[in-house]
mmCIF file of all heavy atoms in Angstrom:
data_model
loop_
_atom_site.group_PDB
_atom_site.id
_atom_site.type_symbol
_atom_site.label_atom_id
_atom_site.label_comp_id
_atom_site.label_asym_id
_atom_site.label_seq_id
_atom_site.Cartn_x
_atom_site.Cartn_y
_atom_site.Cartn_z
ATOM 1 N N VAL A 1 54.887 24.324 -27.384
ATOM 2 C CA VAL A 1 54.690 24.930 -26.070
ATOM 3 C C VAL A 1 54.889 26.437 -26.136
ATOM 4 O O VAL A 1 54.119 27.218 -25.591
ATOM 5 C CB VAL A 1 55.650 24.296 -25.039
ATOM 6 C CG1 VAL A 1 55.662 25.084 -23.737
ATOM 7 C CG2 VAL A 1 55.250 22.842 -24.763
ATOM 8 N N SER A 2 55.950 26.864 -26.814
ATOM 9 C CA SER A 2 56.251 28.288 -26.933
ATOM 10 C C SER A 2 55.197 29.011 -27.777
ATOM 11 O O SER A 2 54.719 30.086 -27.403
ATOM 12 C CB SER A 2 57.635 28.487 -27.558
ATOM 13 O OG SER A 2 57.885 29.848 -27.825
ATOM 14 N N PHE A 3 54.828 28.431 -28.894
ATOM 15 C CA PHE A 3 53.894 29.088 -29.811
ATOM 16 C C PHE A 3 52.521 29.278 -29.200
ATOM 17 O O PHE A 3 51.816 30.222 -29.536
ATOM 18 C CB PHE A 3 53.790 28.264 -31.103
ATOM 19 C CG PHE A 3 53.240 29.028 -32.263
ATOM 20 C CD1 PHE A 3 54.071 29.813 -33.063
ATOM 21 C CD2 PHE A 3 51.896 28.970 -32.598
ATOM 22 C CE1 PHE A 3 53.576 30.528 -34.138
ATOM 23 C CE2 PHE A 3 51.386 29.680 -33.682
ATOM 24 C CZ PHE A 3 52.233 30.465 -34.443
ATOM 25 N N ASP A 4 52.156 28.392 -28.277
ATOM 26 C CA ASP A 4 50.822 28.404 -27.699
ATOM 27 C C ASP A 4 50.751 29.188 -26.392
ATOM 28 O O ASP A 4 49.659 29.491 -25.905
ATOM 29 C CB ASP A 4 50.345 26.970 -27.469
ATOM 30 C CG ASP A 4 48.835 26.864 -27.412
ATOM 31 O OD1 ASP A 4 48.163 27.481 -28.237
ATOM 32 O OD2 ASP A 4 48.329 26.156 -26.516
ATOM 33 N N GLU A 5 51.893 29.522 -25.804
ATOM 34 C CA GLU A 5 51.921 30.167 -24.487
ATOM 35 C C GLU A 5 51.670 31.664 -24.600
ATOM 36 O O GLU A 5 52.209 32.322 -25.488
ATOM 37 C CB GLU A 5 53.279 29.924 -23.819
ATOM 38 C CG GLU A 5 53.301 30.122 -22.320
ATOM 39 C CD GLU A 5 53.314 31.573 -21.909
ATOM 40 O OE1 GLU A 5 53.976 32.394 -22.590
ATOM 41 O OE2 GLU A 5 52.659 31.907 -20.920
ATOM 42 N N PHE A 6 50.844 32.214 -23.729
ATOM 43 C CA PHE A 6 50.527 33.648 -23.805
ATOM 44 C C PHE A 6 50.723 34.397 -22.504
ATOM 45 O O PHE A 6 51.079 35.580 -22.516
ATOM 46 C CB PHE A 6 49.096 33.847 -24.290
ATOM 47 C CG PHE A 6 48.038 33.539 -23.261
ATOM 48 C CD1 PHE A 6 47.552 34.539 -22.424
ATOM 49 C CD2 PHE A 6 47.558 32.247 -23.118
ATOM 50 C CE1 PHE A 6 46.590 34.245 -21.479
ATOM 51 C CE2 PHE A 6 46.591 31.965 -22.169
ATOM 52 C CZ PHE A 6 46.109 32.966 -21.348
ATOM 53 N N MET A 7 50.520 33.764 -21.345
ATOM 54 C CA MET A 7 50.543 34.491 -20.077
ATOM 55 C C MET A 7 51.919 35.058 -19.773
ATOM 56 O O MET A 7 52.070 36.258 -19.475
ATOM 57 C CB MET A 7 50.076 33.575 -18.939
ATOM 58 C CG MET A 7 50.029 34.274 -17.583
ATOM 59 S SD MET A 7 48.848 35.637 -17.541
ATOM 60 C CE MET A 7 47.293 34.753 -17.602
ATOM 61 N N ILE A 8 52.946 34.210 -19.857
ATOM 62 C CA ILE A 8 54.302 34.674 -19.562
ATOM 63 C C ILE A 8 54.773 35.657 -20.638
ATOM 64 O O ILE A 8 55.418 36.666 -20.327
ATOM 65 C CB ILE A 8 55.269 33.463 -19.448
ATOM 66 C CG1 ILE A 8 54.895 32.624 -18.213
ATOM 67 C CG2 ILE A 8 56.713 33.924 -19.345
ATOM 68 C CD1 ILE A 8 55.681 31.347 -18.088
ATOM 69 N N ALA A 9 54.421 35.383 -21.900
ATOM 70 C CA ALA A 9 54.780 36.290 -22.986
ATOM 71 C C ALA A 9 54.124 37.650 -22.777
ATOM 72 O O ALA A 9 54.726 38.691 -23.082
ATOM 73 C CB ALA A 9 54.378 35.699 -24.332
ATOM 74 N N TRP A 10 52.921 37.671 -22.236
ATOM 75 C CA TRP A 10 52.230 38.919 -21.966
ATOM 76 C C TRP A 10 52.918 39.706 -20.858
ATOM 77 O O TRP A 10 53.003 40.947 -20.915
ATOM 78 C CB TRP A 10 50.782 38.627 -21.589
ATOM 79 C CG TRP A 10 49.949 39.845 -21.355
ATOM 80 C CD1 TRP A 10 49.442 40.696 -22.294
ATOM 81 C CD2 TRP A 10 49.528 40.354 -20.075
ATOM 82 N NE1 TRP A 10 48.726 41.707 -21.675
ATOM 83 C CE2 TRP A 10 48.756 41.517 -20.329
ATOM 84 C CE3 TRP A 10 49.706 39.927 -18.757
ATOM 85 C CZ2 TRP A 10 48.192 42.255 -19.301
ATOM 86 C CZ3 TRP A 10 49.145 40.667 -17.740
ATOM 87 C CH2 TRP A 10 48.395 41.817 -18.010
ATOM 88 N N PHE A 11 53.440 39.008 -19.857
ATOM 89 C CA PHE A 11 54.125 39.660 -18.737
ATOM 90 C C PHE A 11 55.470 40.251 -19.158
ATOM 91 O O PHE A 11 55.798 41.378 -18.786
ATOM 92 C CB PHE A 11 54.336 38.679 -17.585
ATOM 93 C CG PHE A 11 53.207 38.624 -16.609
ATOM 94 C CD1 PHE A 11 52.353 37.534 -16.564
ATOM 95 C CD2 PHE A 11 52.975 39.669 -15.713
ATOM 96 C CE1 PHE A 11 51.302 37.473 -15.669
ATOM 97 C CE2 PHE A 11 51.933 39.624 -14.812
ATOM 98 C CZ PHE A 11 51.089 38.520 -14.783
ATOM 99 N N VAL A 12 56.270 39.491 -19.905
ATOM 100 C CA VAL A 12 57.667 39.897 -20.104
ATOM 101 C C VAL A 12 57.935 40.480 -21.479
ATOM 102 O O VAL A 12 59.003 41.035 -21.708
ATOM 103 C CB VAL A 12 58.615 38.693 -19.858
ATOM 104 C CG1 VAL A 12 58.386 38.091 -18.490
ATOM 105 C CG2 VAL A 12 58.459 37.629 -20.942
ATOM 106 N N GLY A 13 56.977 40.353 -22.422
ATOM 107 C CA GLY A 13 57.251 40.773 -23.795
ATOM 108 C C GLY A 13 57.113 42.262 -24.052
ATOM 109 O O GLY A 13 57.636 42.761 -25.046
ATOM 110 N N GLY A 14 56.427 42.974 -23.183
ATOM 111 C CA GLY A 14 56.225 44.407 -23.414
ATOM 112 C C GLY A 14 55.462 44.643 -24.702
ATOM 113 O O GLY A 14 54.396 44.088 -24.947
ATOM 114 N N MET A 15 56.022 45.497 -25.564
ATOM 115 C CA MET A 15 55.378 45.825 -26.838
ATOM 116 C C MET A 15 55.617 44.744 -27.904
ATOM 117 O O MET A 15 55.012 44.797 -28.966
ATOM 118 C CB MET A 15 55.894 47.165 -27.345
ATOM 119 C CG MET A 15 55.594 48.331 -26.405
ATOM 120 S SD MET A 15 53.817 48.565 -26.127
ATOM 121 C CE MET A 15 53.304 49.051 -27.777
ATOM 122 N N ASN A 16 56.486 43.792 -27.626
ATOM 123 C CA ASN A 16 56.754 42.718 -28.584
ATOM 124 C C ASN A 16 55.742 41.598 -28.390
ATOM 125 O O ASN A 16 55.951 40.668 -27.612
ATOM 126 C CB ASN A 16 58.177 42.191 -28.385
ATOM 127 C CG ASN A 16 59.231 43.193 -28.784
ATOM 128 O OD1 ASN A 16 59.294 43.625 -29.928
ATOM 129 N ND2 ASN A 16 60.048 43.610 -27.824
ATOM 130 N N GLU A 17 54.636 41.696 -29.082
ATOM 131 C CA GLU A 17 53.551 40.736 -28.922
ATOM 132 C C GLU A 17 53.815 39.465 -29.716
ATOM 133 O O GLU A 17 54.274 39.507 -30.843
ATOM 134 C CB GLU A 17 52.224 41.334 -29.404
ATOM 135 C CG GLU A 17 51.721 42.527 -28.601
ATOM 136 C CD GLU A 17 50.414 43.045 -29.151
ATOM 137 O OE1 GLU A 17 50.106 42.764 -30.321
ATOM 138 O OE2 GLU A 17 49.708 43.722 -28.396
ATOM 139 N N THR A 18 53.492 38.344 -29.088
ATOM 140 C CA THR A 18 53.416 37.076 -29.835
ATOM 141 C C THR A 18 51.954 36.912 -30.289
ATOM 142 O O THR A 18 51.076 37.665 -29.885
ATOM 143 C CB THR A 18 53.851 35.892 -28.969
ATOM 144 O OG1 THR A 18 53.017 35.838 -27.798
ATOM 145 C CG2 THR A 18 55.302 36.048 -28.547
ATOM 146 N N LEU A 19 51.713 35.908 -31.109
ATOM 147 C CA LEU A 19 50.362 35.747 -31.673
ATOM 148 C C LEU A 19 49.299 35.482 -30.606
ATOM 149 O O LEU A 19 48.219 36.082 -30.664
ATOM 150 C CB LEU A 19 50.397 34.624 -32.712
ATOM 151 C CG LEU A 19 49.213 34.590 -33.697
ATOM 152 C CD1 LEU A 19 49.056 35.928 -34.409
ATOM 153 C CD2 LEU A 19 49.438 33.479 -34.733
ATOM 154 N N PRO A 20 49.542 34.614 -29.622
ATOM 155 C CA PRO A 20 48.517 34.445 -28.573
ATOM 156 C C PRO A 20 48.237 35.731 -27.792
ATOM 157 O O PRO A 20 47.100 35.977 -27.391
ATOM 158 C CB PRO A 20 49.142 33.375 -27.665
ATOM 159 C CG PRO A 20 50.055 32.602 -28.551
ATOM 160 C CD PRO A 20 50.626 33.625 -29.474
ATOM 161 N N VAL A 21 49.273 36.559 -27.567
ATOM 162 C CA VAL A 21 49.075 37.833 -26.887
ATOM 163 C C VAL A 21 48.225 38.776 -27.749
ATOM 164 O O VAL A 21 47.379 39.509 -27.250
ATOM 165 C CB VAL A 21 50.423 38.479 -26.530
ATOM 166 C CG1 VAL A 21 50.216 39.868 -25.936
ATOM 167 C CG2 VAL A 21 51.197 37.601 -25.556
ATOM 168 N N ARG A 22 48.452 38.750 -29.068
ATOM 169 C CA ARG A 22 47.641 39.572 -29.975
ATOM 170 C C ARG A 22 46.179 39.143 -29.908
ATOM 171 O O ARG A 22 45.271 39.989 -29.924
ATOM 172 C CB ARG A 22 48.171 39.402 -31.413
ATOM 173 C CG ARG A 22 47.350 40.171 -32.460
ATOM 174 C CD ARG A 22 47.919 41.528 -32.711
ATOM 175 N NE ARG A 22 47.841 42.481 -31.628
ATOM 176 C CZ ARG A 22 46.933 43.418 -31.505
ATOM 177 N NH1 ARG A 22 45.951 43.525 -32.378
ATOM 178 N NH2 ARG A 22 46.964 44.272 -30.513
ATOM 179 N N ILE A 23 45.927 37.828 -29.825
ATOM 180 C CA ILE A 23 44.551 37.338 -29.681
ATOM 181 C C ILE A 23 43.944 37.869 -28.389
ATOM 182 O O ILE A 23 42.794 38.325 -28.352
ATOM 183 C CB ILE A 23 44.528 35.801 -29.706
ATOM 184 C CG1 ILE A 23 44.975 35.266 -31.058
ATOM 185 C CG2 ILE A 23 43.124 35.281 -29.385
ATOM 186 C CD1 ILE A 23 45.091 33.756 -31.106
ATOM 187 N N LEU A 24 44.723 37.806 -27.298
ATOM 188 C CA LEU A 24 44.235 38.308 -26.013
ATOM 189 C C LEU A 24 43.886 39.790 -26.096
ATOM 190 O O LEU A 24 42.848 40.216 -25.592
ATOM 191 C CB LEU A 24 45.299 38.071 -24.945
ATOM 192 C CG LEU A 24 44.960 38.550 -23.527
ATOM 193 C CD1 LEU A 24 43.768 37.757 -22.967
ATOM 194 C CD2 LEU A 24 46.162 38.414 -22.608
ATOM 195 N N ASN A 25 44.718 40.562 -26.754
ATOM 196 C CA ASN A 25 44.451 42.000 -26.890
ATOM 197 C C ASN A 25 43.232 42.263 -27.785
ATOM 198 O O ASN A 25 42.479 43.213 -27.545
ATOM 199 C CB ASN A 25 45.683 42.704 -27.454
ATOM 200 C CG ASN A 25 46.821 42.753 -26.439
ATOM 201 O OD1 ASN A 25 46.588 42.719 -25.239
ATOM 202 N ND2 ASN A 25 48.039 42.824 -26.931
ATOM 203 N N LEU A 26 43.030 41.430 -28.808
ATOM 204 C CA LEU A 26 41.841 41.586 -29.643
ATOM 205 C C LEU A 26 40.573 41.277 -28.848
ATOM 206 O O LEU A 26 39.528 41.908 -29.052
ATOM 207 C CB LEU A 26 41.936 40.641 -30.847
ATOM 208 C CG LEU A 26 42.887 41.045 -31.978
ATOM 209 C CD1 LEU A 26 42.997 39.933 -33.008
ATOM 210 C CD2 LEU A 26 42.421 42.336 -32.645
#
């Protein structure tokens, strides 16, 4: 669940990107 989640990580992670957020930015 954590590894696949991107929306909340995008909101609260700031510059600390997780892999799904990196995909979104790409």
Side-chain angles (χ1 to χ4, degrees):
V1 168
S2 173
F3 198 85
D4 203 43
E5 199 283 323
F6 74 92
M7 182 62 71
I8 294 174
W10 183 75
F11 271 107
V12 305
M15 299 300 294
N16 292 299
E17 295 180 340
T18 58
L19 198 54
V21 175
R22 177 94 292 261
I23 295 175
L24 180 65
N25 290 334
L26 285 173

